[in-house]
Amino acid sequence: MLLSGVFLQNQSYSRFNLPDEWGELIRASGLSVILLLSGFELNLTDIRKAGAVALRLTFIPGALEALVCGFSSSIIFGMPLSLGLCLGFILAAVSPAVVVTGMLNLQKRGYGTEKGIPSLIVAAASFDDVIAIS
């Protein structure tokens, strides 16, 4: 689908000139569908059982990745620290499309469902994006 969109957009005879607002709407609705799908698959009892582990899995990996990337880009490229940290938080945002579909696939196969691992990882990845974006 992506390749066909790139192909059609770059044709000189293309009649597919859509307004930019439509593209934003399509991307937002795609992300909404993915997050809705992840919300349907969450098991709140498993997440409540995990408690502090779920919070640590949400905050620590994304924050450390953003800090390391921010300080490294500041040292290596000579960027201001604030710009390096912005870069770090942008890169730290985990794509829900990758994590959610992978975890749902593993959950259908039965991997980790007894301990609630897929629900925990999907919830942590979703909240990690919220933290990285804000």
Side-chain angles (χ1 to χ4, degrees):
M1 188 171 190
L2 179 66
L3 292 177
S4 64
V6 169
F7 177 74
L8 289 174
Q9 183 65 31
N10 291 311
Q11 297 300 317
S12 61
Y13 57 86
S14 177
R15 289 182 250 150
F16 299 104
N17 293 327
L18 298 176
D20 291 336
E21 295 85 22
W22 287 22
E24 294 172 10
L25 180 66
I26 291 170
R27 283 189 294 273
S29 61
L31 180 62
S32 299
V33 167
I34 290 169
L35 290 177
L36 186 65
L37 179 64
S38 70
F40 284 144
E41 295 296 325
L42 288 179
N43 190 349
L44 288 179
T45 57
D46 291 340
I47 295 171
R48 284 187 185 142
K49 234 181 353 183
V53 173
L55 287 175
R56 287 192 308 252
L57 192 59
T58 299
F59 290 109
I60 294 174
L64 283 178
E65 184 179 351
L67 289 174
V68 168
C69 182
F71 285 119
S72 299
S73 64
S74 179
I75 292 170
I76 294 171
F77 300 116
M79 299 171 97
L81 184 60
S82 60
L83 186 62
L85 289 174
C86 287
L87 174 69
F89 277 104
I90 289 170
L91 293 176
V94 178
S95 173
V98 175
V99 175
V100 169
T101 54
M103 282 297 114
L104 294 181
N105 189 14
L106 291 175
Q107 190 173 10
K108 285 180 185 175
R109 293 182 185 180
Y111 293 119
T113 53
E114 293 175 6
K115 295 183 179 180
I117 294 171
S119 293
L120 182 64
I121 291 177
V122 167
S126 300
F127 292 131
D128 183 36
D129 281 345
V130 171
I131 291 167
I133 292 170
S134 61

